[in-house]
Amino acid sequence: MKRRNFLSLTAGAAAATGLAACGSSGPSDTGSGSGSGSADAASYWFLSGPPGEPIRQGAVDRFNKTGQGQIKVTTFQNDTYKDKLKTALGAGQAPSIIWGWGGGGLKSYVEAGQVDDLTDWFAQNAAVKDRLFKSSFGPATVDGKIYAMPAETVQPIIMLYNKEAFEKAGVQNPPQTWGELMSLVPKFNAKGIAPFSLAGQSRWTNMMWLEFLFDRIGGPEVFGNAYNGQKDAWSNPAAIDGLTKIQDLIKANGFIKGFASVTADSNADQALLYRGKAAMELHGSWSYGIIKADGGNFIKDGKLGFFNFPAVEGGKGDPTNTVGNAGQYLSIYSKASDKQKEAAKNFFKTLLDDTEQQGWIESGGVPIVQGSNAKLASSPDKDFLNFIYDVASKAGNFAQSWDQALSPTAAETLLENIAKLFQLKISPQEFATNMNAVIGK
């Protein structure tokens, strides 16, 4: 999953997690309610698969019974969705409601006049805005105006681990430093367990490693300088150090064999973790919901552990810093009809009701609603939920995922070069040179 305009959430400004999981089936039509096939129905595309799809569908089903309009749904897998949406926008046939991650992608829609300005609507509906985390509006805002409705949950990227795999390898505790992490690699490999699962074919999964290494080594300004257009920012010594460290881990057989052909959309990376083929995984907090849905009794039996990305020895970055999504975002297509736009806005008012909040909590997420942490105490997943709440709310800096922060053009170049870096086809210096060439584009 990915995100938006480069965002910093200071400690206490954010709180929580979420689960817009990558899809596993799509596209499929699931329009519901009378009149959902009519021309007046607002079309709504979003990601398929657990845990998000049934929760989103439930919100639509409840709205369609209110008589305030109709929503017709189509679902897609993560990567399919991005391609389909890009094509639809180019052809002038996008859905009435555009689900996304805000940030750089949203900015490109705004610049192309493809989404409506919602600033005045939020001013007229202050109660809708005031109940959500203030931090969630950062990625929805372009040049001081709001172009999207924040929704769902906050999603920091975290480390997950298989406690049983740790026992088999004689490892007591998860690594707290990069040095400790590297020292565990041969121990797991000696037992025939991959140290880390990785869905390398999806590329953005590899990116998470660089996001944390850059931050832990040099702080948020390392990527921040590239985002802000500073010349040759990717050649920063901290960046080169981070790029070198990830290739050191790859060369040490730190990742599952054949990681470059593993896909995130199939949730194969989480399966490697709960089946004991891999000991650890760096992934979004939505992974908990996927493992809960697909992993049998793995969570119930207490086999899943979690921790924050380790500190890097001598690094300048605050080890409480995190990266991820401050929410998910719904925009209104500028070419939708007046009736479709009205239905969309009415739908926005109903989002994150008690039923939807409970759905996200049950799937392992904390909704972006003020005070939602009060609902966590009775959850069987409270240990994980409170961990996520703490990671998000206590982070010295909460950065947005790079591919959501950057423009679509720069993001694609980034992902292409990350794939080559992880396949050891380019050096850290070549990566930096290639990325320096698209700064500001």
Side-chain angles (χ1 to χ4, degrees):
M1 321 301 338
K2 335 229 263 75
R3 293 100 258 198
R4 74 260 155 228
N5 205 11
F6 187 65
L7 169 72
S8 294
L9 308 181
T10 53
T17 181
L19 298 118
C22 301
S24 55
S25 65
S28 63
D29 253 342
T30 52
S32 58
S34 61
S36 64
S38 74
D40 291 337
S43 51
Y44 177 24
W45 296 0
F46 56 69
L47 301 191
S48 60
E53 182 180 354
I55 300 170
R56 296 183 191 111
Q57 184 65 51
V60 170
D61 292 344
R62 289 190 299 280
F63 173 75
N64 282 344
K65 292 172 185 168
T66 65
Q68 298 179 73
Q70 291 293 314
I71 308 287
K72 186 176 191 296
V73 164
T74 309
T75 62
F76 298 91
Q77 288 189 343
N78 186 310
D79 292 340
T80 308
Y81 172 74
K82 291 166 207 157
D83 293 339
K84 185 80 173 173
L85 182 60
K86 190 176 179 181
T87 302
L89 283 163
Q93 297 175 333
S96 317
I97 300 171
I98 300 173
W99 187 100
W101 297 272
L106 179 62
K107 187 168 184 276
S108 69
Y109 305 157
V110 171
E111 288 168 352
Q114 293 166 329
V115 293
D116 281 2
D117 181 350
L118 301 176
T119 310
D120 289 345
W121 182 80
F122 275 111
Q124 293 157 15
N125 294 273
V128 176
K129 185 180 181 185
D130 293 346
R131 67 190 288 263
L132 304 178
F133 290 142
K134 287 183 175 62
S135 56
S136 69
F137 282 89
T141 305
V142 178
D143 296 331
K145 294 183 176 179
I146 304 169
Y147 288 91
M149 170 74 184
E152 302 182 9
T153 51
V154 173
Q155 304 170 324
I157 308 303
I158 55 168
M159 284 280 195
L160 303 122
Y161 71 101
N162 183 324
K163 292 180 181 178
E164 208 168 41
F166 269 57
E167 283 174 24
K168 283 181 183 171
V171 177
Q172 302 297 318
N173 299 305
Q176 297 301 303
T177 65
W178 184 257
E180 287 179 21
L181 182 151
M182 290 297 292
S183 72
L184 294 183
V185 168
K187 293 183 180 178
F188 286 114
N189 280 326
K191 295 293 182 183
I193 301 167
F196 289 96
S197 178
L198 181 65
Q201 189 173 317
S202 297
R203 305 183 306 177
W204 54 264
T205 41
N206 307 354
M207 177 184 65
M208 297 173 179
W209 284 88
L210 297 180
E211 289 168 339
F212 274 104
L213 282 168
F214 277 39
D215 189 279
R216 293 291 187 266
I217 294 166
E221 58 271 24
V222 181
F223 174 71
N225 289 341
Y227 174 78
N228 290 323
Q230 187 181 104
K231 185 173 167 26
D232 295 335
W234 292 96
S235 297
N236 185 314
I240 299 298
D241 188 11
L243 296 164
T244 303
K245 279 184 164 57
I246 198 63
Q247 287 199 327
D248 290 344
L249 180 59
I250 294 162
K251 290 171 186 173
N253 297 318
F255 295 107
I256 189 88
K257 191 177 179 184
F259 69 80
S261 60
V262 179
T263 64
D265 274 351
S266 63
N267 300 333
D269 42 354
Q270 283 90 0
L272 289 166
L273 183 75
Y274 62 70
R275 287 177 183 153
K277 304 289 186 190
M280 295 173 277
E281 179 181 32
L282 180 67
H283 217 299
S285 54
W286 59 84
S287 294
Y288 187 92
I290 294 170
I291 294 169
K292 192 176 177 183
D294 298 346
N297 290 328
F298 184 73
I299 288 177
K300 201 179 285 184
D301 292 344
K303 293 177 182 176
L304 181 69
F306 27 85
F307 60 103
N308 215 347
F309 193 93
V312 173
E313 293 87 345
K316 286 193 267 183
D318 180 346
T320 70
N321 287 354
T322 195
V323 64
N325 294 342
Q328 288 69 54
Y329 297 90
L330 307 183
S331 298
I332 296 177
Y333 185 40
S334 57
K335 290 186 179 178
S337 70
D338 288 346
K339 280 211 164 186
Q340 289 167 336
K341 290 181 180 183
E342 184 185 0
K345 289 172 181 174
N346 288 338
F347 176 56
F348 289 175
K349 292 179 188 176
T350 68
L351 289 173
L352 287 169
D353 60 9
D354 285 343
T355 305
E356 186 184 348
Q357 285 189 58
Q358 196 56 38
W360 290 119
I361 290 168
E362 286 172 6
S363 66
V366 182
I368 59 164
V369 177
Q370 302 277 8
S372 59
N373 57 320
K375 299 177 187 285
L376 306 183
S378 59
S379 169
D381 305 302
K382 63 179 180 293
D383 290 347
F384 178 78
L385 296 173
N386 283 318
F387 164 73
I388 294 301
Y389 187 92
D390 284 349
V391 167
S393 63
K394 295 177 181 177
N397 186 73
F398 192 132
Q400 184 180 11
S401 294
W402 292 353
D403 58 333
Q404 297 305 326
L406 296 171
S407 71
T409 303
E412 182 55 33
T413 303
L414 171 70
L415 293 171
E416 285 173 3
N417 280 279
I418 284 175
K420 290 175 186 173
L421 183 84
F422 272 66
Q423 290 161 24
L424 305 178
K425 290 179 178 175
I426 57 173
S427 68
Q429 288 75 15
E430 287 170 320
F431 177 97
T433 299
N434 295 344
M435 287 309 301
N436 285 336
V438 293
I439 287 175
K441 291 183 180 174

